[in-house]
Amino acid sequence: MSQFTEIRTVPGTVRGSWEGGVAVFRGIPFAQPPVGSLRFRAPVAVLPWSGTRDALAFGPSVPQAGQTGSVMTSTTRVPTDGSAECLTLNVWTPDLGSAALPVMVWIQGGTYLENHTSNPHYDGALLARSGVVVVSMNYRVGLDGFGHIAGAPDNRGILDQIAALRWVRDNIAAFGGDPARVTVFGQSAGGACVAALLTMPSARGLFGRAICQSMPGTYFSQRLAAAVTAAIAGEVGARADLDDLARHSPRALTAATAAVLAKMPRFAESWGPMALTPTPFSPVVDGLVLPDAPWRALAGGAARGIDLLVGHTRDEFRLYTSRPGTETVDPFDHLSPGADLRDAYAAAYPDASTAQRREILNADWLFRMPSVHLAESARAGGGRAWMYELRWSFSSEQGASHCLDFLLLFGTLGAEEIRRHRAAHPGAADEVSGVSRALRADWVEFATTGEPGWDPYTPQGRSTQIYDATATVSPYPEERSRRIWSAHRFGTLDLLSG
């Protein structure tokens, strides 16, 4: 078999390579560079090209902190070093024939601030060898992707994802995929984007199954998002509108975002609990691009025909370390009703320390309970949903933390890496491959058949797959927290004052 292989797509021919039995195509553009007059705009379809374009290396990253390239400093002219062409996607496929394999489109997380599909932990080769076509894409992040800017559409990062899904619809058959069997799956911010995609009119028909991993439950009103953008714009002395912000380079705006992020807890009285999270951005419920927060939309039947797999890790918040100032902020003071919550957690978790209760609360309100409520909303709206929890961990320090799930899913956490960890559990290195295989097999089964292998979630049985050294099915395991939040209604976070 030749090392290189060429595929004709609608815009033009691309050349990929065979690597370990998987054909890989990297850095395929799916939209025009979002620079110059297209900055802060909805993505525009990529222009056709003649000849054959190499798809052998990942495309440049979208503008974000730490990125190099002239796109970070350019404002009025298009960069000439290629870093502007950042809206690209990647394909891993085990079969370039007419197999019509299930397609899994990965939307990575990164607190809406980072996006690196070249991250080796997102390597889709092992997942593709399981019998699916895997696609990942760059999408705009930070102010460019999620800031509410007067004169610009909201949720530009999610609009980029929709543009990539349209590319999949139009081109994936040539890579051995079935455009009628597309599953979107994402983790953290990517999981919340998947939940948003479930409800967005412009995404309708582009996928039939969805997997939300550790989705944060923060969706902003335009007022709250505007307040965040105004604070960032104020750092560079700009107005929060398209014309004025376009005069400032991405590097200047990422630096301004970092300055606001460092002092976010100071805004808690006006911005509410989102000021205690690791990011100033979230999808914006604008009533148009994103008509409603996903819980109410799903309960109303917005995604009735889309099968949903949703879940979280057990120790979601263990990953996060304190930022300057956060140690003085008590999350119970900023979640309503704070006093009742404090008493409820004290009663539900009597043996936990104050710090442990804060960790549990942060895990609950930010990740775990939004996931449970999403499954319940999908069920209420006439759809099918399945729940899972990752309980397995390799270290008592990190526990089953945020992000551990995708390392297992892609198989990029190795036994030797665990053996070298100073706090690894005895036997964890021998267990990791089995947990990884179980998780990956269930995701592929769901993408292939629409069912992962256990009973759907219902309010009565609350069937949940638990991934530990051995996978088991039980009622939802975080029952104490579920009861505390059972009457809560997740929705759109709004500006509290100012």
Side-chain angles (χ1 to χ4, degrees):
M1 182 181 294
S2 171
Q3 176 187 0
F4 299 106
T5 183
E6 296 182 0
I7 294 293
R8 173 70 186 178
T9 71
V10 172
T13 301
V14 293
R15 179 186 293 116
S17 61
W18 285 96
E19 302 173 11
V22 175
V24 187
F25 299 80
R26 300 179 175 93
I28 302 174
F30 63 85
Q32 293 184 39
V35 297
S37 62
L38 297 184
R39 192 177 177 201
F40 303 130
R41 301 289 188 182
V44 176
V46 66
L47 296 173
W49 61 83
S50 58
T52 300
R53 179 187 180 106
D54 279 341
L56 304 174
F58 291 106
S61 298
V62 296
Q64 59 193 288
Q67 185 198 342
T68 59
S70 64
V71 70
M72 290 299 292
T73 56
S74 176
T75 53
T76 59
R77 59 186 178 85
V78 175
T80 57
D81 65 355
S83 61
E85 198 165 60
C86 57
L87 295 183
T88 62
L89 54 77
N90 319 291
V91 181
W92 290 262
T93 177
D95 190 343
L96 288 172
S98 56
L101 297 172
V103 181
M104 298 186 69
V105 180
W106 170 245
I107 301 177
Q108 67 187 61
T111 61
Y112 307 103
L113 292 168
E114 300 176 358
N115 192 331
H116 302 276
T117 59
S118 59
N119 185 330
H121 288 302
Y122 299 141
D123 189 330
L126 188 58
L127 188 56
R129 290 191 194 103
S130 300
V132 295
V133 178
V134 180
V135 179
S136 66
M137 91 283 286
N138 288 343
Y139 61 90
R140 281 172 285 179
V141 293
L143 194 68
D144 280 60
F146 290 91
H148 175 72
I149 300 171
D154 284 318
N155 303 302
R156 295 171 297 280
I158 306 180
L159 292 176
D160 293 342
Q161 297 163 17
I162 292 173
L165 285 167
R166 290 191 179 118
W167 184 97
V168 168
R169 177 196 62 195
D170 297 340
N171 295 283
I172 207 64
F175 295 82
D178 183 355
R181 281 197 297 171
V182 175
T183 299
V184 290
F185 67 122
Q187 184 267 346
S188 194
C193 288
V194 170
L197 287 166
L198 285 166
T199 75
M200 295 171 69
S202 54
R204 198 160 293 143
L206 296 177
F207 60 93
R209 292 161 191 153
I211 306 175
C212 295
Q213 303 173 210
S214 300
M215 61 166 288
T218 54
Y219 294 80
F220 293 175
S221 71
Q222 287 187 309
R223 287 202 322 158
L224 177 55
V228 173
T229 301
I232 295 170
E235 293 288 329
V236 294
R239 299 186 308 274
D241 61 48
L242 188 153
D243 291 337
D244 212 21
L245 287 172
R247 286 194 277 269
H248 296 269
S249 69
R251 179 167 295 162
L253 295 181
T254 57
T257 298
V260 170
L261 179 60
K263 57 188 176 184
M264 271 212 323
R266 303 179 198 173
F267 294 97
E269 294 300 325
S270 57
W271 293 1
M274 61 76 54
L276 310 183
T277 72
T279 178
F281 299 113
S282 283
V284 179
V285 178
D286 63 349
L288 181 64
V289 175
L290 180 56
D292 206 345
W295 303 276
R296 190 165 73 172
L298 263 63
R304 185 176 293 119
I306 300 176
D307 295 322
L308 173 65
L309 174 58
V310 58
H312 53 74
T313 69
R314 181 188 59 191
D315 308 306
E316 286 282 2
F317 212 71
R318 191 75 56 84
L319 176 71
Y320 294 97
T321 56
S322 297
R323 290 177 283 121
T326 55
E327 65 276 2
T328 64
V329 179
D330 189 333
F332 286 102
D333 293 336
H334 298 281
L335 290 169
S336 179
D340 291 348
L341 273 178
R342 195 186 304 275
D343 292 343
Y345 274 83
Y349 298 94
D351 298 327
S353 67
T354 299
Q356 288 171 331
R357 287 175 193 153
R358 288 177 179 176
E359 181 187 314
I360 295 169
L361 171 63
N362 277 314
D364 283 343
W365 88 265
L366 192 54
F367 298 111
R368 301 199 306 186
M369 296 305 108
S371 299
V372 174
H373 285 215
L374 195 73
E376 293 175 348
S377 295
R379 168 80 181 184
R384 300 194 303 170
W386 287 261
M387 275 295 302
Y388 75 90
E389 177 181 275
L390 175 62
R391 181 180 295 171
W392 182 86
S393 70
F394 64 87
S395 159
S396 58
E397 291 181 350
Q398 294 179 315
S401 68
H402 195 66
C403 293
L404 179 59
D405 57 337
F406 75 75
L407 298 177
L408 296 168
L409 176 63
F410 287 104
T412 54
L413 175 64
E416 287 306 313
E417 185 178 355
I418 292 175
R419 288 191 182 97
R420 291 193 298 268
H421 195 280
R422 60 184 177 83
H425 295 304
D430 298 323
E431 295 170 350
V432 64
S433 62
V435 179
S436 178
R437 280 195 304 271
L439 192 70
R440 190 162 49 253
D442 289 344
W443 264 230
V444 170
E445 182 68 17
F446 179 74
T448 303
T449 68
E451 298 189 8
W454 63 92
D455 289 339
Y457 184 92
T458 65
Q460 296 76 32
R462 294 191 287 277
S463 177
T464 305
Q465 176 83 318
I466 309 298
Y467 293 101
D468 209 329
T470 300
T472 59
V473 178
S474 73
Y476 180 67
E478 311 305 333
E479 180 64 12
R480 289 178 289 180
S481 292
R482 190 197 68 81
R483 286 181 178 275
I484 292 171
W485 290 85
S486 61
H488 180 80
R489 293 295 174 263
F490 285 93
T492 305
L493 299 178
D494 199 4
L495 190 65
L496 300 184
S497 64

